[in-house]
Amino acid sequence: MTRPYAEVIGDPIVQSKSPVIHGFWLDQLGLDAEYRKTLVTAEELPAFFTQRREDPDWRGCNITMPHKLAALDHVDDRGDVRGGIGAINTVFRAEDGTPVGTNTDAGGFYAPLAGFDFAGKPVTVIGAGGAARAILFALARMDVGPVTIMNRNTLKAGVLLSSFGLKGQALPLQPAAAPSALLVNASTLGMAGQPPLDLDLGALDAEAVVYDIVYSPLETPLLAAARARGLETVDGLEMLIGQAALAFELFFGAAPPRDRDDELRDLLLA
């Protein structure tokens, strides 16, 4: 007997916490469905979507590195995500069975910042990959001031700035952050198994917010340095849970129990 399922795909995939999050919500709501993790290489991506189109139990997937851009070529783009964010992190099965791409990263990123006002204030973003695209998309709608992108490839970073209509500058990775009211690490630097992100935060505003989307480890050196300066911080679980909540509703047609977030965080940190 089969039952509905969704999954997360990527390469590597062992580090993903998405099955814990979605599994927790499914259990809390008593839904007869499951959520899996599936290793999919770049070469396997076209065949993956061909097979899933034919599976009536498949409800969709979350997408992690390195497929957030490439997956757009294999799904419907009914919301013109390609022309907006330019990358997808979620594919859901439409009523007619068609896989449709969308991006819940932007909403997941913004949710913890909803109580802050960054209008006209300088922002620094580290990285220029798929996650950075969603973050810049959100920042453009927050009416922030000049944005500094720090990235190894400054040409790529500069193109991203202009594609989202943001004013600012693209700089190579440097030992110190530019003066900012919001600093976002949208790269894999600081993630377990990746090079560290050692950044001098001395130029940040006294009331700046430091946001690190890395969630393994949860307490990154960047966040530790920010807390040592008494700055407000947002960790990677905030965005991870926020984007997952939007995807969960698309997959399973029910809102997740966000009143249980404290329990969920404890489970993710166990």
Side-chain angles (χ1 to χ4, degrees):
M1 183 175 177
T2 60
R3 58 178 178 162
Y5 72 95
E7 62 197 317
V8 57
I9 66 169
D11 180 19
I13 199 61
V14 67
Q15 81 287 351
S16 177
K17 295 184 183 294
S18 293
V20 177
I21 297 171
H22 289 268
F24 175 81
W25 289 333
L26 288 170
D27 287 344
Q28 293 298 314
L29 295 175
L31 296 180
D32 184 23
E34 62 179 311
Y35 188 97
R36 312 166 179 172
K37 66 172 73 171
T38 305
L39 175 66
V40 178
T41 67
E43 295 75 23
E44 295 168 337
L45 197 62
F48 168 83
F49 282 111
T50 298
Q51 292 165 0
R52 291 305 189 264
R53 282 175 185 268
E54 304 304 319
D55 186 347
D57 294 320
W58 186 72
R59 293 294 176 267
C61 65
N62 289 116
I63 300 170
T64 187
M65 299 179 296
H67 304 319
K68 291 189 176 187
L69 278 67
L72 264 168
D73 294 333
H74 306 289
V75 299
D76 268 23
D77 183 17
R78 297 179 181 179
D80 191 26
V81 182
R82 188 186 295 275
I85 296 175
I88 58 175
N89 78 319
T90 301
V91 176
F92 64 94
R93 188 184 193 91
E95 289 185 5
D96 61 4
T98 304
V100 177
T102 189
N103 195 307
T104 64
D105 275 339
F109 165 76
Y110 172 73
L113 300 177
F116 297 92
D117 180 11
F118 294 108
K121 297 178 181 178
V123 175
T124 294
V125 175
I126 300 159
R133 286 175 174 272
I135 287 165
L136 292 169
F137 180 86
L139 291 174
R141 280 144 187 80
M142 292 163 62
D143 198 26
V144 299
V147 175
T148 297
I149 301 185
M150 295 171 62
N151 192 57
R152 290 187 185 91
N153 185 332
T154 54
L155 178 60
K156 178 181 179 182
V159 169
L160 271 186
L161 266 182
S162 112
S163 70
F164 289 103
L166 291 163
K167 298 187 184 306
Q169 59 182 341
L171 300 175
L173 286 169
Q174 299 182 347
S180 306
L182 172 64
L183 171 72
V184 183
N185 178 28
S187 75
T188 58
L189 293 174
M191 182 184 292
Q194 298 293 325
L197 176 59
D198 295 318
L199 203 59
D200 184 340
L201 305 180
L204 296 189
D205 295 352
E207 297 182 354
V209 176
V210 176
Y211 194 146
D212 197 336
I213 72 167
V214 169
Y215 58 81
S216 178
L218 188 62
E219 176 73 357
T220 62
L222 177 66
L223 291 183
R227 290 185 181 123
R229 278 203 61 211
L231 301 177
E232 190 83 28
T233 61
V234 180
D235 65 44
L237 285 187
E238 293 281 354
M239 180 171 170
L240 182 68
I241 293 171
Q243 64 81 24
L246 297 170
F248 183 90
E249 195 156 357
L250 290 172
F251 298 150
F252 302 113
R258 296 301 304 275
D259 58 329
R260 312 296 288 271
D261 275 8
D262 287 345
E263 290 176 60
L264 177 55
R265 285 181 66 93
D266 289 344
L267 186 63
L268 290 166
L269 295 173

